[in-house]
Amino acid sequence: MSDTKFVLSEKEIPRQWYNLAADLPKAPLPPLGPDGNPISPDMLAPVFPMNLIEQEVSSDRWIDIPEEILEIYSMWRPSPLYRAKRLEKLLDTPARIYYKNEGVSPAGSHKPNTAVPQAWYNKQFGIERLTTETGAGQWGSALSFACSLVGLECKVFMVRISFDQKPFRRLMMEAWGGKCIPSPSTATQAGRNILEQMPDTPGSLGIAISEAVEAAVTDESGKTRYSLGSVLNHVMLHQTIIGQEAKKQLALAGEKKADVIIGCAGGGSNFAGLAFPFVLDKINGEDITIIPVEPASCPTMTRAPFAYDHGDTAGMTPLLPMHSLGHNFVPPPIHAGGLRYHGMAPLVSHAIELGLLEPLALHQLECYDAAVKFARTEGFISAPETSHAIAATIKEALKAKEEGKEKVILFNWSGHGLMDLKGYEMYFGGQLQDYALPDEEIEKSEEILKTYPKPVIV
Amino acid sequence: MSDTKFVLSEKEIPRQWYNLAADLPKAPLPPLGPDGNPISPDMLAPVFPMNLIEQEVSSDRWIDIPEEILEIYSMWRPSPLYRAKRLEKLLDTPARIYYKNEGVSPAGSHKPNTAVPQAWYNKQFGIERLTTETGAGQWGSALSFACSLVGLECKVFMVRISFDQKPFRRLMMEAWGGKCIPSPSTATQAGRNILEQMPDTPGSLGIAISEAVEAAVTDESGKTRYSLGSVLNHVMLHQTIIGQEAKKQLALAGEKKADVIIGCAGGGSNFAGLAFPFVLDKINGEDITIIPVEPASCPTMTRAPFAYDHGDTAGMTPLLPMHSLGHNFVPPPIHAGGLRYHGMAPLVSHAIELGLLEPLALHQLECYDAAVKFARTEGFISAPETSHAIAATIKEALKAKEEGKEKVILFNWSGHGLMDLKGYEMYFGGQLQDYALPDEEIEKSEEILKTYPKPVIV
């Protein structure tokens, strides 16, 4: 048997999450409130439980993972690390390609890595119900799964067009007991306002966030909080279990170091989860290239300014220091729904500003082509988001071939595409097109973002 | 961390398949040809490669697994064994419930355990192309996956109504490079005949088998063979890797023995894969209850006669000694498509006749109820087929509670239900009904089967 899969025992699951904020050469900037001043933890208390707020603002390097969370993690963790030998052979590359398989979770992606601790900490804090939003349904299903195991109610506002067109992830939520509501809905003021103005709107992630936040903060019992699946510091934190495991597994595979780390990035969490433990190595002087990959149609990292902006369309969230196309930006309807977000996690954005990352934007046809090559060699069918990481990996592997270098490339296989086969159908049928965002759109975003305070890293 | 997952290292994958035929107290009966006499291996040569025919007729107890197959197996094997502690708690049972998770394969079920060796042995034999049939698409996608990794073409005849209504498994096949054709098709004489008589037929598994066999045997290059995903001896053989792993994992969990073994059974392969290594223990005198579970709407094992019958509707296959509702029987359209087969594997049927198994028939509402309980405690969403094993497990666990016995129950979680959520939607919407096959239907089958030779075990 060849060494193509590297498995850790349950006892080797990392016992702590890694907080990159503790090691950044320059301190991250705080979120700002409506008055333009940094917000205090207390101001977030109606939205999140205090134990998660503490993680959000923590500068501790390591944060212990509670035993009960480790127990649930152990359902699918440690996730396997694979060597992509058949893909290497197809590419005829001297590079050694590894991928971390996060598709093995019951929800099929990396999302449960943070859904479970978020549900658990809320439960600990006496919360009885979580609200959240979801686009294509990946996050809503992960949180429904987590709430079901921990014993919380879960209410998910799902963008209406996805609710209607993609019933399967909604059904996953319902199988786990989650309540899924098409957004905009009449259940919130924000939803009612939108419906009055635009009764036929297909909805948007921004609107759904506004509804979920409102539903949490207006619940008079005080037992409801809101949960977000990406962007925030504590979400990145929870995901670092991926990169920590990968390091141990690379060692098992006999690799002294990784040369290139790759992940797709929408809000930033699966990328950060794999990459942040390696960013520390880079900060400590190791020669390592770290690449977050985004769609060319939503080029937050490669073309949008680093600015203060809201996380949601309605402007209910604090201002976050991040690469943003503007909270009013509506990304084109590419199939990688999880990469259609106007902003980028503040910690990822900050690391870009410090020159620690080398973001890359790719077109979707190249990504689907990569995913099909991957399916026919490595055997796994990838989520459209994940296909971006594969395409970047193939680029790097071919570069290594040109250079004649034996590079070690590691990417995050963030999820399977079994619920996303419609995109493959359109790709095979020649119905997909590439789309690069026109410069005018970027300029429009810059104009709007100028009205907010300018983030300055010192 | 609690002990709820039991993982073997790659090195612990069993190196041999187990052949129950070697240990049965009374010898299995041979298949019969059109003349009513036992068929010779040579007669199967146009359909299967000789290396697989040798396995089909082998009476060796152990058959070595080639290294290259072990390498592909290691993509997802050894599959994890779970202790269902949260389900136990919900049921408040003294039973300890374990399940083998076969949903971790890239195709999402146990099917690749035999798809990979079948593709590999055909390739070894110089074959370039496999044909097969598929109903809902589970088997067709598994074989497309296997052919893609081994380097064979794959042509799948898919029952037309599924082809039209369930595009996702077809898209899986295409992602792996398989060619998927709606059946009946104009590509075969069998298909053309049917289309002439019934241009609007939705198709059936029986017709699709006839088309796939015809496409294999009429290919003049001689480089095409047919592949079947269940029923045959060599398919059962390949699946026994499941039960062998489970035995090692039960030992890891500190269990000296299993008291109850459960698997759902359509053609019989996932059940046999888990159960046959334990059937050997039963033959050797161990006190163990082994339960194959079928739908009450297609009660092959519990109500149909043990008879000689064809495996396909058109009567192209040899006569197999098996429990059968008659090859013309059309099972009602329940959601557990994989359990809608008129026959049952000869080896499973034989073991039933010898009193080694205790088959059980269940209604689908009870099964969906069990699957929802399972999703909300153990976190995995089950295939409709698999839900039958879960429902039987819950029955046994509640029986153990009544009796106050600390039984060890092991079942095969044969696959995830992520491609089958429509059934859950109908269940949640109250649109599903139970259906027990009327006695007249059974009598009709018995009448037809009387025209064939009667199998007599001596």
Side-chain angles (χ1 to χ4, degrees), chain A residues 1-8 10-11 13 15 67 70-78 82 86 99 104-107 145 148-149 167-172 174-178 372 375-381 416 418-419 421-422 424-425 428, chain B residues 1-8 10-11 13 15 67 70-78 82 86 99 104-107 145 148-149 167-172 174-178 372 375-381 416 418-419 421-422 424-425 428:
Chain A
M1 240 174 294
S2 72
D3 286 331
T4 52
K5 187 172 71 167
F6 304 93
V7 177
L8 302 173
E10 199 180 301
K11 294 193 183 68
I13 294 183
R15 297 305 182 110
E67 202 65 23
L70 288 169
E71 196 180 314
I72 300 179
Y73 272 173
S74 75
M75 284 177 64
W76 71 94
R77 305 210 71 84
Y82 288 88
R86 281 181 292 264
Y99 57 100
V104 292
S105 79
F145 156 74
S148 137
L149 264 62
F168 294 111
R169 285 207 195 270
R170 167 172 65 77
L171 289 166
M172 286 174 81
E174 289 172 3
W176 282 313
V372 170
R376 293 181 185 176
T377 51
E378 294 300 310
F380 293 104
I381 295 177
H416 67 63
L418 299 184
M419 320 294 286
L421 288 163
K422 187 75 192 163
Y424 282 84
E425 183 168 41
F428 287 132
Chain B
M1 240 173 295
S2 73
D3 287 332
T4 53
K5 187 172 70 167
F6 303 93
V7 176
L8 301 173
E10 200 178 298
K11 294 192 183 69
I13 294 183
R15 297 305 183 112
E67 202 66 21
L70 287 169
E71 197 180 314
I72 301 180
Y73 271 175
S74 75
M75 285 179 63
W76 71 95
R77 306 210 69 85
Y82 289 88
R86 282 182 291 265
Y99 58 99
V104 294
S105 80
F145 156 77
S148 140
L149 264 63
F168 294 110
R169 284 207 195 271
R170 166 172 65 77
L171 288 165
M172 287 175 79
E174 288 172 3
W176 281 312
V372 171
R376 294 181 185 178
T377 51
E378 294 301 310
F380 294 104
I381 295 178
H416 67 63
L418 299 184
M419 318 296 283
L421 287 163
K422 188 75 192 162
Y424 282 84
E425 183 168 41
F428 288 133

Side-chain angles (χ1 to χ4, degrees), chain A residues 390-407:
Chain A
I390 300 171
T393 297
I394 290 177
K395 264 191 192 319
E396 286 294 317
L398 294 177
K399 199 168 109 189
K401 181 179 174 181
E402 271 175 34
E403 298 171 348
K405 282 190 190 161
E406 275 195 28
K407 283 186 186 171

